[in-house]
Each structure stands twice: as structure tokens, then as C-alpha cells.
Amino acid sequence: MRTDELFRQAFLESPIGMAILDDAGTYQEVNPTFASVVGLSTEQVAGRSYEEFTHPDDRQTSRETLARVRSGDAPSAQIIKRYLSNEGEIVWARVTVSDARTATEDPSRRLLVQVEDITEERRAKTLLAHRTHYDPLTGLANRPLLLEKLAHALRTHRESASTVACVFLDIDHFKVVNDSLGHDAGDNLLKEIARRIQDNTRAGDTVARLGGDEFVIVLEDVPDRAAAERAVASVVKVVQTAVRIEGHELVPTASIGLALAERESTAEQLLMAADTALSAAKRGGRARVTTYDPRMRTDAMSKLSVELELRTAIKEGHLEVHYQPIVDLQTRRIVNFEALVRWRHPSRGLLQPDTFIGVAEEANLIVPLGAYVIREACHFIAWHPEFTGRILVNVSTKQIGAADLTGVVRSALAETGVDPSRVGLEITETGMLMATPAAKSDIASLTALGIDLVIDDFGTGYSSLSSVLLNPVSGLKLAREFTLRLGDLATGDRISLAMAALTRSLQMYGVIEGIETEVQYAIARRHGWTYGQGFLFGHPVPADRIRFDDDGTARIPVEKKPVNAAPERQRLWTEAPESPAASDSTASPLQRLRPDIDEEILIRAAESRF
């Protein structure tokens, strides 16, 4: 078989498109594969110019490629170009052009064009590139593209009178939507919020989703802080408008951090500043806009330092548990103790909880820290079998539910052989009311195990009495805010009397906290409280300071202190530190108003109002 016959057979049967062009760029012949690329028959293509099927933007490149091969500058050349099919569709192709005289015995000048359809390959690459730079759920820019655009904006505005603002937005309590309505509802809410943000920003600004419920907006050409805040206010207004998701009307709120670029700011630094401001907005109560202040960065670094040191302290055993007495108000005899954590810092000495509990909560270190306190409390009971009272332990809401508090308590009881009735757990009123289904299940398991649950800080969570009765609690502790107001002939006395009566009628364990003076003690007794706690009866002390008589009576021997030594200030895990009564720690509010009247007369006068 002759060479040109072999070529023709390969030409016609080739799985890739092939065509022969003359010097004018006219198709002299095309094979069926090439004809299918442009959506015509071979006869319909032959005799027409290649430019008819070439995308307008690629015609110049095609001309230059054909010219290089015709002139002999290159025996062949390859380009990526777009063809236009008869239906107007774009077909991407890898095109190789070579001198056809090397392939046939025909001496006339012709060019052989080989066309490989790479449309699907190109589409896959485009999709991959899009996914690399865009969020698949909302179509917004993702973190890499955001940083790229933010860096470009900063370079553009470096010598400009205007600046760049970065807005970090987080949807408040978004997890509640996922947990209650499902992830599809959560995704729909995110897409709606993304649309609202995009519709209320300028064309030149960038909107990105970093994942979860976090969005970032880059505002370019911002004249000043006031202008940035106005733009943010506009976004807040539309984001916090009611939206209907799967039959439910939701009114989302957002916490927002705003940061304005400095002259030498980098993209990472500006984004971090906005994130720091966002954290401050969350700590401030959410549903607000907070503008970055350099002091926030200092505070953040300080918290990070505390977090790292606290991790080491938990791991290496630098924590201590101190015990504050709870007394029978009739006899002033110690009946129970509350276990309170302290940190023995290697350079700063003994640290109170207010210096590290907040960080522990944010860093989720409260779970191992809380487990340590529970184990220590159980060991205290096991080491003192003569003591017949209970140890109460504060627990954070983060310990309940997913962290398996029941498992932690059960393990500590098994390790020490302590009876469950000797341990009580204090949960804040707010924590009890906002418990998730998993937390409620954990609480029920603790009750079934025989652990008493006590509502701590009662009166600060704005709950109704019925809400208390719906929970498996065996006691409550009246918040010290009300103790400070005993004798005011108003709210303080009314609440104290009512809560004391409630605990008696329900046969609950009731403790009035924060008793610091003899006057407060006397009023608490007359109001009907059974148990009391406060500095009047003793400060939190290490276990080795506590002594037990043969009959199990607990005592805390008075420790002599230097004349100028400041008293230790107690701090529970989630509350403000207790402090002595203002100005005169031995005087009730009434005594400070009428010092000329005997305190017993004042007490009787207060009680006669009820």
C-alpha cells in the first residue's frame, strides 16, 4: 500500500479531529471526528475558512501559529484554542499544526491540523479552580481568595488618602438552628444571609465565607471610620431582618468585628484584627459591632499566654482545691464544704479563679479542670471518713452533655469508693434553663446515680418558680447579690423571705450565700434559712487547714496573719468576687442610714413588713 493511501486511511479513521488547510487557510478536507467537533458534516466544512469556526478572541493567535509553520520557522506548533460549533457552543481544543508535505507525497504547500477536544478536561479544571477559590455552598470567595484580594486592596490603597476596612461577621447562636431545624435549614439560612450581604455591598468590595457561620467583607476606598461604620450598619440591618426557613420565621442577629487598615498592615494582620474585634463583640453580649482597638490585641496575647500556662498547670498538677465551709445557721456548725479551684502559679503565686476560669471556658479547658476538681473532692471525702457532710462542686455547662459529666463523676466515685450522696453538683440557674437535650440527659443520669443537683446563683437567671420545679434539683443557693441587700425593707428582704419559704415547703436544701456580717447572719436566720455560706464563717482554705474532731465536727483553726495582710477574696467559677459590705462591713443598710437605732430593733422592723 502506498504511503499516501496509508495516510488517508489514518486520516479518516483517526479518533481525533484532523484537517488539511491550504495556504489561504481554507479547509480542503476534514475527517469525520473534526466535523463532529463543529457540529457539521465533512462536506459542510470543506471549502470554508478556519476563521469561521474560531472564537473571535483566538483568531489572532491562530493566524500567528499558521504563519510560523508556513514560513518554516517551526516544523510544527501547538496552541490551546476555542472553536465555535454550528450550535454556537464553545469547544476547547488542543491544536497541533504541522507541514503536511512531510506526511504525504503531495508537493503542494498544505498544513495538517490535528484537533483534540479538551472541553471536559477544561471544564473539570475550571470547576476545580472555582472550588479552590470559592465556597461551594454560597459561591462567595473562600479564605485563600479573600487574602489574595485583601492583599491587593492594601497595595492599591497604600498611597491613597482612603483606606481598607475588614468586617468579620458571625451569626449568633447559629448552632441552635442546625440542632433544632437540621443542617439543610442551616445551609438555607447561610445562603440567604450570603445573598443579603452581597446585595448590600458595592461591586468593588469582596464578600467571603470562611466556613461555618463566619463571613468577611472587604470594603475598599473607605474615607474614614465613620464611613466604614455606616456601611456595616447597612449590612447589619438586612442581615437581622426576619427570614422564613422551612416554615419557621427566624430573626438572625450577628456579632461583628470591624478593623481599618494602617499604612503597613498586611492581609493577615488586618483579618486578625477584625477577628479580635469580633471576639470582643461576642464577649460583650453578641448582636453588636465592635471596632478594633490595639489594646484588644494585647488582651488577646495575654489570654493566649494564660491558656498555654493553664494547659501546663493542668498537666503538671499546679492546681489546688480549697474548701469553703457551709454552716447550719442555728448552730454555726460546719455541715458541708464547697470545693473551689485555685492555681498555684510558679511565679505569680496563688491565683484566684477570676484570673483564669474565663480563659478555661473559652479554650475548653474547663472540662479537664472540672474533672480534676471532682476527683479531688471525692478524695477529700475518702480521706476523712469521720466527716459526714457533703462536698459541693461547681460545674460548667460545658461539662454537661457532650463531655459526659456522668461518666466523670462515676469514675471518680469508683476510684475513691465514695457514696454518691456525699457529692453535690452546683449548676447555675441559667445553665439549667438553657440545657441542650444532651445536657438534660446527662443531668437525668446524674440524678439516677444519686448525685444531688443544686441551682447556684438562684435569682440571677430571670426564671419562674415553675421552671425550677421542672428540673431534678434538690436544692438552691440564693445569689449573694440579695444577701448584700438584706435589711433594705424592699426587694432584698422580700426575695430572701420568699426563697427561704420555698425551700422549706419543697423540702429542698437551701443555702444563702455571701454572709459577711453578724447583721446579715441574724436576718438570714429570722428569714428562715437553714444553711449559710460566706466570709463570716470562713474563707476557702486548703484541705490540710481543716481539722476534724472525734465526732466528725469540722473546724478551721484561725491562722494569724500579718497586720497589713489583705483578706483572700473568694471567687466562684462564673460569678463576680465576693467583697465586704461597702464602707462598714459590720453595718446593715439600715444601720448606715440610722446609726442611732439599735440593730435588733432594725431587724424586727424589717421583718414586720412581711
Side-chain angles (χ1 to χ4, degrees):
M1 184 180 295
R2 293 175 55 190
T3 301
D4 58 344
E5 292 176 351
L6 289 172
F7 170 77
R8 174 160 295 282
Q9 182 178 350
F11 179 87
L12 295 174
E13 298 176 2
S14 173
I16 66 172
M18 298 183 71
I20 296 176
L21 288 174
D22 62 16
D23 279 342
T26 302
Y27 289 117
Q28 290 190 331
E29 190 172 359
V30 299
N31 70 354
T33 305
F34 181 89
S36 67
V37 167
V38 294
L40 297 171
S41 66
T42 56
E43 292 78 10
Q44 289 174 310
V45 177
R48 297 168 67 175
S49 170
Y50 77 91
E51 291 196 1
E52 291 185 46
F53 303 100
T54 300
H55 191 283
D57 293 344
D58 294 340
R59 286 173 184 168
Q60 183 59 34
T61 303
S62 297
R63 294 189 195 104
E64 293 170 356
T65 302
L66 295 178
R68 286 177 57 206
V69 177
R70 283 197 195 99
S71 65
D73 289 345
S76 64
Q78 188 176 85
I79 59 170
I80 302 296
K81 64 176 286 187
R82 287 162 290 181
Y83 283 97
L84 294 176
S85 73
N86 190 50
E87 292 78 22
E89 295 181 355
I90 294 176
V91 180
W92 284 89
R94 183 179 294 110
V95 179
T96 304
V97 181
S98 56
D99 192 332
R101 290 179 302 179
T102 62
T104 70
E105 295 179 2
D106 188 343
S108 60
R109 170 75 66 179
R110 291 191 295 181
L111 299 177
L112 176 64
V113 180
Q114 300 178 69
V115 178
E116 181 182 358
D117 188 344
I118 59 170
T119 304
E120 289 303 318
E121 176 186 330
R122 187 84 179 190
R123 190 172 294 145
K125 287 183 177 180
T126 301
L127 180 61
L128 180 61
H130 187 274
R131 288 179 176 175
T132 301
H133 292 96
Y134 293 90
D135 171 49
L137 177 66
T138 63
L140 300 178
N142 61 10
R143 187 184 188 89
L145 183 57
L146 167 70
L147 289 172
E148 181 181 317
K149 287 180 172 289
L150 184 52
H152 179 268
L154 291 171
R155 287 193 300 270
T156 302
H157 291 78
R158 190 141 288 159
E159 303 301 327
S160 172
S162 61
T163 188
V164 177
C166 185
V167 182
F168 212 128
L169 183 151
D170 184 280
I171 304 303
D172 296 330
H173 309 298
F174 175 72
K175 188 175 183 298
V176 175
V177 177
N178 275 342
D179 291 345
S180 58
L181 302 181
H183 288 274
D184 286 344
D187 287 348
N188 289 336
L189 177 60
L190 290 175
K191 287 189 283 189
E192 173 61 18
I193 288 174
R195 184 192 65 76
R196 292 180 178 187
I197 295 174
Q198 273 195 308
D199 289 349
N200 284 273
T201 51
R202 300 167 302 178
D205 297 331
T206 300
V207 181
R209 176 178 175 237
L210 300 193
D213 57 344
E214 294 182 335
F215 297 85
V216 173
I217 309 167
V218 176
L219 303 173
E220 297 192 41
D221 198 22
V222 178
D224 52 32
R225 172 175 169 172
E229 290 176 342
R230 285 194 298 272
V232 172
S234 174
V235 171
V236 170
K237 183 177 180 180
V238 296
V239 167
Q240 298 187 166
T241 301
V243 57
R244 197 160 191 83
I245 300 292
E246 298 186 1
H248 299 271
E249 186 174 276
L250 307 177
V251 183
T253 62
S255 299
I256 296 176
L258 169 65
L260 274 69
E262 300 291 338
R263 183 178 178 83
E264 298 303 323
S265 295
T266 66
E268 291 80 2
Q269 289 170 343
L270 185 56
L271 183 61
M272 186 182 299
D275 192 14
T276 300
L278 170 62
S279 297
K282 290 181 178 179
R283 288 194 300 272
R286 298 179 183 270
R288 65 192 61 216
V289 179
T290 300
T291 302
Y292 177 75
D293 184 294
R295 288 172 294 185
M296 294 178 183
R297 178 66 176 160
T298 303
D299 292 343
M301 293 301 295
S302 176
K303 286 185 178 180
L304 178 60
S305 176
V306 171
E307 177 186 336
L308 295 175
E309 289 184 311
L310 184 56
R311 289 184 186 276
T312 302
I314 295 173
K315 182 179 179 180
E316 298 183 357
H318 295 161
L319 299 179
E320 298 178 7
V321 175
H322 288 200
Y323 299 87
Q324 183 174 33
I326 298 172
V327 304
D328 183 321
L329 291 181
Q330 295 302 316
T331 64
R332 294 179 78 144
R333 182 175 181 268
I334 297 174
V335 292
N336 297 319
F337 285 98
E338 180 176 357
L340 299 162
V341 71
R342 301 289 187 266
W343 178 5
R344 183 69 65 177
H345 194 279
S347 60
R348 297 167 60 191
L350 189 67
L351 301 182
Q352 301 297 305
D354 60 305
T355 62
F356 61 89
I357 288 299
V359 175
E361 289 272 3
E362 290 183 17
N364 209 32
L365 293 175
I366 200 70
V367 173
L369 187 153
Y372 165 79
V373 177
I374 291 171
R375 288 195 304 270
E376 286 297 300
C378 288
H379 279 294
F380 178 89
I381 297 170
W383 290 332
H384 300 286
E386 68 276 19
F387 176 60
T388 58
R390 289 187 299 181
I391 302 296
L392 301 182
V393 181
N394 286 280
V395 293
S396 163
T397 53
K398 289 191 175 182
Q399 293 175 255
I400 309 171
D404 187 20
L405 181 59
T406 302
V408 171
V409 173
R410 185 182 286 114
S411 175
L413 295 174
E415 179 183 328
T416 58
V418 169
D419 188 272
S421 64
R422 304 290 304 285
V423 178
L425 299 181
E426 296 185 16
I427 304 173
T428 62
E429 181 184 359
T430 302
M432 184 72 77
L433 294 175
M434 297 183 66
T436 63
K440 290 179 179 178
S441 176
D442 209 3
I443 289 171
S445 297
L446 288 165
T447 304
L449 186 62
I451 299 294
D452 282 338
L453 302 180
V454 178
I455 295 183
D456 193 16
D457 290 337
F458 188 80
T460 61
Y462 307 100
S463 65
S464 63
L465 294 181
S466 61
S467 67
V468 177
L469 301 178
L470 292 174
N471 292 286
V473 297
S474 58
L476 60 84
K477 299 177 78 174
L478 184 66
R480 63 177 297 279
E481 288 88 337
F482 301 108
T483 304
L484 293 175
R485 298 168 67 178
L486 290 180
D488 65 359
L489 299 182
T491 305
D493 286 323
R494 291 192 184 97
I495 291 178
S496 174
L497 276 167
M499 291 303 100
L502 174 69
T503 57
R504 288 197 306 273
S505 64
L506 297 178
Q507 297 183 329
M508 297 174 71
Y509 170 81
V511 180
I512 181 169
E513 296 185 286
I515 296 177
E516 301 174 356
T517 70
E518 291 291 344
V519 173
Q520 291 171 343
Y521 165 59
I523 295 176
R525 283 186 62 189
R526 285 172 170 79
H527 284 180
W529 286 99
T530 305
Y531 304 107
Q533 180 179 355
F535 289 167
L536 180 64
F537 311 117
H539 292 266
V541 297
D544 59 12
R545 285 273 313 280
I546 302 172
R547 298 290 181 266
F548 294 94
D549 295 337
D550 293 339
D551 63 355
T553 301
R555 293 181 295 103
I556 302 176
V558 177
E559 186 180 58
K560 292 183 179 181
K561 294 184 177 181
V563 176
N564 295 325
E568 178 186 13
R569 300 177 66 83
Q570 175 195 11
R571 168 95 173 180
L572 300 184
W573 287 21
T574 57
E575 65 201 11
E578 258 184 295
S579 60
S583 69
D584 181 359
S585 63
T586 64
S588 71
L590 279 176
Q591 275 189 303
R592 289 196 292 272
L593 290 172
R594 296 295 303 275
D596 56 313
I597 302 178
D598 180 81
E599 73 173 44
E600 285 297 320
I601 296 175
L602 291 172
I603 291 169
R604 292 193 190 97
E607 292 178 333
S608 67
R609 294 286 299 275
F610 305 99

